[in-house]
Amino acid sequence: MPWFVWLLLAAALGVAEFFTLTLVLGLFAGAALVAAVVAGVGVGTLGQLVALGATAAAGLLLARPAALRYMAQPPVMRDGTDALIGRRAEVVQEVTATRGLVKLGGEEWTARAFDESHVIPVGALVDVMEIQGATAVVYPRELLP
């Protein structure tokens, strides 16, 4: 079978996988790509079918179960101070490059500006960029893109 037929089959299977999301048709598309390469090298139809079958079997027996296990895992939960990153806070005491105070999650945290040239006034809303020890490193919300 000519290599371009395998390539067309791989493209059709890839499109079908896009709509079904079963991980099966995508593996068959990959197997068809391998068969296209084998056909392009000049191997006969029997060799192309063997390459298709071996690649499809390896994908279904090895790759698909691993992918399904990975997809079944719960999302990573952030806890502790990592959970505060990205949250909004309100400036209670002017925030500069070295000092300040923000209200974050109902608690007051020491803070400093992410950009050392910024002076953030009282009442401004800020986003927490990172936590360093007990200090929130913040950036003014109105300056975010």
Side-chain angles (χ1 to χ4, degrees):
M1 187 177 303
W3 63 269
F4 61 86
V5 174
W6 288 115
L7 202 57
L8 289 173
L9 180 64
L13 288 168
V15 169
E17 174 63 35
F18 178 77
F19 290 110
T20 63
L21 300 177
T22 61
L23 300 177
V24 174
L25 296 175
L27 292 171
F28 285 151
L33 282 176
V34 170
V37 170
V38 169
V41 171
V43 177
T45 304
L46 182 60
Q48 295 169 26
L49 292 174
V50 168
L52 176 77
T55 306
L60 290 175
L61 296 175
L62 301 174
R64 187 169 188 266
L68 291 175
R69 273 193 309 275
Y70 177 77
M71 289 174 28
Q73 292 177 351
V76 176
M77 299 293 295
R78 297 189 314 175
D79 58 356
T81 58
D82 286 340
L84 299 175
I85 296 173
R87 294 199 44 202
R88 183 174 38 188
E90 182 179 353
V91 176
V92 176
Q93 181 183 22
E94 184 177 75
V95 176
T96 64
T98 57
R99 63 180 180 82
L101 201 60
V102 296
K103 187 166 211 125
L104 174 61
E107 300 176 344
E108 289 188 353
W109 280 71
T110 57
R112 70 175 183 80
F114 182 74
D115 185 347
E116 295 178 0
S117 65
H118 285 139
V119 175
I120 308 168
V122 173
L125 294 178
V126 294
D127 283 323
V128 178
M129 304 305 279
E130 59 183 296
I131 301 288
Q132 293 179 346
T135 302
V137 180
V138 298
Y139 193 80
R141 195 160 181 78
E142 66 271 358
L143 296 178
L144 288 176

